[in-house]
Amino acid sequence: MGYAVRIESAEVVITSPGRNFVTLRIVTEDGVTGLGDATLNGRELAVASYLRDHVVPLLLNRDASRIEDTWQYLYRGAYWRRGPVTMAAIAAVDTALWDIKAKAAGMPLYQLLGGASRTGALAYGHASGRDVPELLDSIRAHLERGYRAIRVQTGVPGLASVYGVASASAGGGERYDYEPARRGSGPRVLPAEESWDTRAYLRHVPTVFEAVRQEFGPELPLLHDGHHRMTPIQAARLGKALEPYDLFWLEDATPGEDQAALRLIRQHTTTPLAIGEVFNHVHDYTTLLSERLIDYVRSAVTHTGGVTAMRKLLDLAAVYGIKSGIHGPTDISPVGMAAALHLDLAVHNFGIQEYMPHTADTLEVFRTSFRFEEGLLHPSDTPGLGVELDTEAAGRFPYQPAYLPVNRLADGTVHDW
């Protein structure tokens, strides 16, 4: 039986239950609602304006079932292609339309994507500490919560705070466990500025992994994020130094836009490499995939054009034996997280899924059905994405300006993070 129904309305919802989220809510003429995540951390209002002013007027009265055609219409018709703002907006539309189609079919989305390839998606959690003892405690806590794979981040001696470390404080002094953009305080919100020392970091990190392996043994999958802070030769040095500790991956070792850097890193180390959370299009990956310069694709569904584009990207990666590692921090809303989980369950070349539980306030706004059990995530068998938006609750959490931090070297130079 065919399904063709017109889009009756499309609404952009901005809410901030602890951090800012942008959600597109599409309603068809027969009352079916679809949700798409359009959150771009620290630049949320740019995507909201793109949707409201340029995309929503184009959606009204379009056939909600024509997902591929709508994707191409929005991408090719704009002339100005790619970029995080454009691709996040298109992703929101695409994901919402897939939500609608799956609800109309009475199936969870993963069934429309070919059905389950596994019982659940292996998830990794974020353990961190200002020093090694605090880190080890954090790893224990994550293991107790059921995680089977752990990302390891620590403070660096001599640095007051390090992005990605839970106990670092900023703004009003709040504890930032999950790397949100920082709200700051006062009438004018500016990005926090952190000092950085790459040489100190390179000396320290191998000793951290030595301590973790001594405490938890060789079997636990361990991951580490370099947050783009290294030059190619520095990243090669770190990858080589970490080889004895058998990392699951070293992520974002160098700035993502310099793809040639991965060739140099690959020449010097066998530590698996992951990159892509700042990418937003398959063309960002073509060299990395065809030359097998990475082992895991790290894009988010939210920032890479939605379910349609992400599925194509992962299918291309599969040709080269490269696996998924979809971006999943808490600046991806539960809507974006659910979309990732449906793909995780369906694609053949799944690797691992980043998972950071959202706050109670966030889960009051976004009513979720996906579950985390014994280290695995499952999107649930609820028709569609399995997430509903409580618009009344969303209205209780107004937008607040917030920004990711800026890194500076000792001489004051702005540095990659």
Side-chain angles (χ1 to χ4, degrees), residues 271-303:
T271 294
L273 302 174
I275 202 166
E277 69 181 64
V278 298
F279 294 169
N280 48 73
H281 198 278
V282 65
H283 288 301
D284 295 325
Y285 283 99
T286 50
T287 297
L288 301 179
L289 298 180
S290 63
E291 296 186 23
R292 294 178 171 86
L293 301 180
I294 60 172
D295 302 280
Y296 295 91
V297 166
R298 283 284 291 136
S299 281
V301 178
T302 298
H303 303 142

Side-chain angles (χ1 to χ4, degrees), residues 29-69:
E29 60 187 355
D30 59 355
V32 180
T33 299
L35 300 178
D37 182 21
T39 305
L40 187 61
N41 195 3
R43 295 293 185 270
E44 300 88 359
L45 298 185
V47 188
S49 175
Y50 192 106
L51 283 167
R52 283 176 177 154
D53 300 332
H54 303 291
V55 173
V56 166
L58 307 180
L59 297 177
L60 302 181
N61 295 317
R62 286 188 64 84
D63 183 351
S65 69
R66 297 182 64 176
I67 298 176
E68 177 71 26
D69 181 70

Side-chain angles (χ1 to χ4, degrees), residues 76-397:
R76 298 179 187 278
Y79 184 81
W80 306 108
R81 301 179 183 179
R82 302 171 64 180
V85 175
T86 293
M87 299 308 288
I90 292 175
V93 176
D94 182 81
T95 302
L97 294 181
W98 275 109
D99 192 18
I100 288 168
K101 185 178 285 285
K103 286 176 178 175
M107 296 179 179
L109 175 57
Y110 72 83
Q111 292 289 8
L112 294 188
L113 300 176
S117 291
R118 55 196 51 81
T119 57
L122 177 67
Y124 72 88
H126 289 210
S128 67
R130 290 166 293 188
D131 53 29
V132 170
E134 190 171 274
L135 168 66
L136 298 181
D137 287 343
S138 179
I139 295 173
R140 293 185 192 100
H142 279 77
L143 293 174
E144 289 172 2
R145 291 198 290 269
Y147 285 97
R148 301 183 191 175
I150 306 290
R151 192 188 82 163
V152 172
Q153 309 291 135
T154 65
V156 175
L159 299 182
S161 63
V162 174
Y163 180 80
V165 175
S167 296
S169 63
E174 306 95 321
R175 178 183 170 98
Y176 282 94
D177 288 325
Y178 297 130
E179 301 182 4
R182 298 174 180 180
R183 297 179 184 273
S185 58
R188 183 178 177 218
V189 177
L190 297 174
E193 296 192 13
E194 298 178 345
S195 297
W196 181 248
D197 184 338
T198 307
R199 293 184 65 211
Y201 164 78
L202 292 174
R203 290 193 301 268
H204 184 59
V205 170
T207 68
V208 171
F209 278 90
E210 180 181 20
V212 172
R213 281 294 181 216
Q214 287 178 350
E215 181 71 19
F216 297 100
E219 297 300 325
L220 179 64
L222 299 177
L223 305 86
H224 181 68
D225 190 345
H227 289 121
H228 311 283
R229 293 177 173 130
M230 289 168 275
T231 65
I233 199 64
Q234 289 169 341
R237 169 186 162 187
L238 181 61
K240 189 72 175 177
L242 292 176
E243 285 178 11
Y245 311 112
D246 188 24
L247 267 63
F248 188 96
W249 76 37
L250 172 61
E251 176 188 350
D252 289 346
T254 52
E257 55 266 35
D258 182 6
Q259 299 197 13
L262 277 297
R263 291 194 186 105
L264 189 148
I265 301 170
R266 201 60 135 180
Q267 290 169 7
H268 291 278
T269 181
T270 57
T271 294
L273 302 174
I275 202 166
E277 69 181 64
V278 298
F279 294 169
N280 48 73
H281 198 278
V282 65
H283 288 301
D284 295 325
Y285 283 99
T286 50
T287 297
L288 301 179
L289 298 180
S290 63
E291 296 186 23
R292 294 178 171 86
L293 301 180
I294 60 172
D295 302 280
Y296 295 91
V297 166
R298 283 284 291 136
S299 281
V301 178
T302 298
H303 303 142
T304 316
V307 173
T308 296
M310 194 69 184
R311 179 60 186 264
K312 292 177 181 178
L313 169 58
L314 294 180
D315 285 346
L316 177 61
V319 172
Y320 299 99
I322 295 167
K323 296 184 177 182
S324 71
I326 295 177
H327 190 45
T330 51
D331 61 317
I332 302 298
S333 85
V335 175
M337 188 69 198
L341 295 182
H342 285 279
L343 280 166
D344 289 338
L345 210 62
V347 298
H348 175 70
N349 57 324
F350 169 76
I352 200 166
Q353 174 62 55
E354 181 177 18
Y355 176 55
M356 305 167 74
H358 289 93
T359 66
D361 284 345
T362 298
L363 297 179
E364 181 182 347
V365 173
F366 299 93
R367 307 297 173 86
T368 64
S369 60
F370 56 78
R371 60 184 184 270
F372 175 66
E373 297 173 350
E374 298 181 351
L376 303 179
L377 285 159
H378 195 287
S380 90
D381 291 322
T382 303
L385 289 174
V387 180
E388 298 299 330
L389 176 68
D390 186 328
T391 54
E392 181 179 345
R396 295 199 294 270
F397 300 99

